[in-house]
Amino acid sequence: MKSTKRIIITTVICAGIAALAYYAWMFSFYQFETNDFSTSIEKIMSFDYLATLVPLFIIAGLAAAGIIHVVILRRALAKTDKKHSHFADVRTGRQKGAAPKQRPVLFMILRWIAMIAFSFIMIWGGLIFGMKMSSLSIPVLSCPWNTEQMTESSCYYLSHLNELFELPWQSILVFLASTIGFIILLGRAICGFLCPIGLIQDIMDKIRRKTKTEGIKMNEKMYGAAAPVRWFMVLVFTGLCFAGGNFCNFCPAVAVSPILAGMSTSLYVSGFLMILVLMGGFFKRRAFCMVCPLGTIMGFFHKISLFRIKKDTQSCTECGACYEACPMGIKMIYTEREKVNVTSANCIMCGECIRCCPEDKALFMTCAGIKLYTSSRKTIMSGYKPDKTGRYER
Ligand code: SF4
Ligand code: SF4
Ligand code: SF4
C-alpha cells in the first residue's frame, strides 16, 4: 500500500513536471517578444546574456526533476514487481557483472577533447571567425555558426529544401560541396566527435554513471522499434517545409546552441523536447541519436566515408561484449563472420565496442585505411587487479 501511494504521488509529480515543461513556452521568460538572432561578443559579455540563458536553466532544472522522479518511481516499482528490474543496466550499476573500470584510453580522451572543442566552435564559431566562414555549410546542429542569421548551415537547408532551390546556383553548389564534402570525409564520425547534442548526451550518461544510477537496458526488439521512428523523423525533417511547416520549431538543438550563442529565440516545443533528450540521454546513452534525422541522413553515406570499423574475424571469439557496449545496439559487429568492414549506417564512431572488446586487435577503427584505435586485452585487464591468490577479480 505504501509503495502504491508512492507510485501514485510520483506519477502525479511526473505528470505535473511534464505539463509544466510542455506549457513553459507560454511563460514570458521563456518566450521572447521577438526572435532576436543577432549576437556579438559584447552581448555575451553583458548581463543580457544571463537573461537569455534563463530558458536553459529552466530546461536543465525540469530535466533534473524529471530524472529524480523517474528514479524514485522505478525504485518503487522494482520493490513491488521484480520484473521491472529487468530494465536495469547490469553493465553500469553496482551489480555483479558490471564492466570494470579501465585506465583512460588516449582515443577516448581525444574524442572528448574534440567534442568539447568542436561544440565550442559550433556555438561561438560565428562570433570568433566572423562572416568569412558564413557560407561554409556544417552538417550538424550548427544554427548559431553564422553571426547574422540562421540560414547557412546544412542543417537549415536540409530541413528547408524548398528554400534551397530558390538560391543562386553558386550558393547551391557551395551548400552541396561543403555538406557532401563534410559527410564523405567524416561520415558519422561527426556524431562521435563533433555534434554538440552528442556531447550533451554523453555528459548525461557520465552523470548517470557517476551517480551509480541504473540505466535502461534495451533489447533487440526495442532497438528495432526505433527504426520506424527514425524514418518518420527523416520524413518530417525534410518534408515539413513543403507542407508549410518548419522543423526548426521542433528541433531540440534550438533550445541549446542558439541560446548559448546569445540569441533570444522562443523555444516553443523545442524546449520540451530538449528536456526529453536530456532525460533520455541520462537513462539510455545517446537515446536521441537513435532517432535523429540528421544522423540518419549522414548514415546514408557510411559506405563512402573515410571512417570504418573493422574486424579480424579470426581473432574474434564471439563474446558479444561489443554489442553489449554499443549505444546504438549494432549487433552485426559481433555476428558478422566473414566481412572485415563491419561499419553500420547507425554507427556513430564512438569506439565503445573497441574499448570493450577483450581480444587483441580483433576490432579496430580506421580513417582512410590508417588505424586509429585497436582493441587491446592489456587495456581490458587494466580494470582487474589480482587478489592474494594471484587470481584476477574485480
Ligand atoms: S545522431 Fe544527431 S544528435 Fe546524435 S550525434 Fe549525430 S547529428 Fe548529433
Ligand atoms: S559499433 Fe562501435 S563505434 Fe559504432 S556506435 Fe556501436 S560502439 Fe560505437
Ligand atoms: S567484443 Fe571483440 S571478441 Fe567479442 S564479439 Fe565483439 S569483436 Fe568479437
Side-chain angles (χ1 to χ4, degrees):
M1 187 59 198
K2 207 178 156 198
S3 333
T4 316
K5 210 168 149 190
R6 207 183 305 162
I7 290 168
I8 293 170
I9 294 172
T10 313
T11 312
V12 170
I13 293 173
C14 280
I17 291 171
L20 194 63
Y22 188 76
Y23 289 105
W25 61 270
M26 293 172 83
F27 302 138
S28 55
F29 48 73
Y30 207 73
Q31 188 174 0
F32 300 93
E33 272 175 29
T34 48
N35 284 340
D36 173 14
F37 299 135
S38 68
T39 178
S40 62
I41 300 281
E42 292 74 42
K43 191 173 175 186
I44 62 169
M45 301 298 272
S46 71
F47 185 72
D48 284 354
Y49 184 53
L50 275 183
T52 310
L53 293 184
V54 167
L56 214 53
F57 297 139
I58 295 169
I59 287 167
L62 287 173
I67 288 166
I68 291 166
H69 281 92
V70 170
V71 170
I72 295 170
L73 182 67
R74 261 179 75 172
R75 285 195 183 150
L77 279 172
K79 262 189 201 161
T80 51
D81 184 352
K82 291 287 171 218
K83 85 169 188 270
H84 282 94
S85 53
H86 166 74
F87 293 106
D89 185 347
V90 290
R91 284 177 286 125
T92 49
R94 280 179 205 267
Q95 304 93 328
K96 211 175 165 202
K101 206 167 179 254
Q102 302 167 3
R103 65 162 187 250
V105 190
L106 182 65
F107 173 86
M108 290 299 172
I109 297 171
L110 293 177
R111 194 173 79 81
W112 273 89
I113 292 173
M115 278 197 296
I116 294 167
F118 278 111
S119 295
F120 183 86
I121 289 172
M122 283 200 200
I123 291 167
W124 292 285
L127 292 176
I128 298 165
F129 299 110
M131 293 302 290
K132 291 189 292 294
M133 309 289 283
S134 69
S135 57
L136 197 64
S137 297
I138 304 167
V140 275
L141 316 150
S142 52
C143 14
W145 173 258
N146 193 301
T147 51
E148 287 290 288
Q149 29 68 40
M150 297 166 74
T151 57
E152 290 290 350
S153 74
S154 315
C155 199
Y156 181 89
Y157 279 128
L158 285 171
S159 58
H160 293 71
L161 288 172
N162 55 337
E163 287 179 27
L164 175 67
F165 300 113
E166 287 164 12
L167 293 177
W169 66 269
Q170 295 94 330
S171 301
I172 298 179
L173 276 187
V174 170
F175 165 81
L176 288 176
S178 50
T179 303
I180 295 173
F182 265 112
I183 293 178
I184 290 177
L185 278 179
L186 302 173
R188 288 199 76 177
I190 288 170
C191 299
F193 291 83
L194 263 77
C195 177
I197 300 299
L199 171 68
I200 288 170
Q201 292 178 88
D202 279 356
I203 290 172
M204 293 309 286
D205 179 69
K206 276 263 178 271
I207 295 172
R208 178 178 66 77
R209 283 164 200 264
K210 286 276 175 234
T211 53
K212 305 252 190 281
T213 310
E214 288 173 359
I216 291 174
K217 187 170 169 59
M218 286 183 54
N219 56 29
E220 259 183 271
K221 243 189 194 169
M222 291 157 92
Y223 280 118
V229 184
R230 195 156 50 230
W231 291 109
F232 174 74
M233 291 282 279
V234 172
L235 200 70
V236 174
F237 182 68
T238 51
L240 200 62
C241 59
F242 297 108
N246 182 355
F247 185 83
C248 293
N249 283 342
F250 307 100
C251 181
V254 169
V256 179
S257 37
I259 296 278
L260 281 174
M263 298 174 185
S264 310
T265 51
S266 297
L267 296 178
Y268 305 106
V269 185
S270 301
F272 175 66
L273 291 180
M274 192 63 217
I275 293 168
L276 296 186
V277 170
L278 291 176
M279 289 179 66
F282 182 85
F283 289 108
K284 164 74 188 86
R285 187 170 176 197
R286 296 279 184 140
F288 177 70
C289 295
M290 290 193 305
V291 295
C292 171
L294 213 48
T296 310
I297 292 171
M298 288 191 275
F300 296 158
F301 300 88
H302 78 283
K303 289 220 162 102
I304 49 171
S305 80
L306 297 181
F307 282 80
R308 297 263 191 280
I309 299 288
K310 292 184 178 169
K311 180 164 117 166
D312 175 3
T313 49
Q314 299 300 315
S315 309
C316 170
T317 51
E318 292 182 70
C319 67
C322 47
Y323 173 53
E324 281 288 306
C326 178
M328 304 299 280
I330 298 165
K331 198 172 183 184
M332 93 41 143
I333 209 144
Y334 111 87
T335 54
E336 178 59 56
R337 299 310 305 157
E338 281 165 16
K339 280 192 224 145
V340 171
N341 183 3
V342 283
T343 319
S344 147
N346 292 334
C347 175
I348 55 169
M349 296 292 157
C350 64
E352 277 302 320
C353 50
I354 301 170
R355 190 176 73 87
C356 293
C357 174
E359 300 303 332
D360 252 346
K361 303 185 178 109
L363 217 48
F364 47 98
M365 185 186 292
T366 62
C367 175
I370 299 161
K371 274 190 192 176
L372 296 181
Y373 183 28
T374 309
S375 62
S376 149
R377 176 172 281 274
K378 202 171 154 197
T379 312
I380 292 280
M381 292 310 287
S382 71
Y384 295 85
K385 289 193 172 48
D387 63 12
K388 282 177 195 155
T389 63
R391 286 176 55 192
Y392 279 81
E393 296 284 349
R394 271 197 76 215

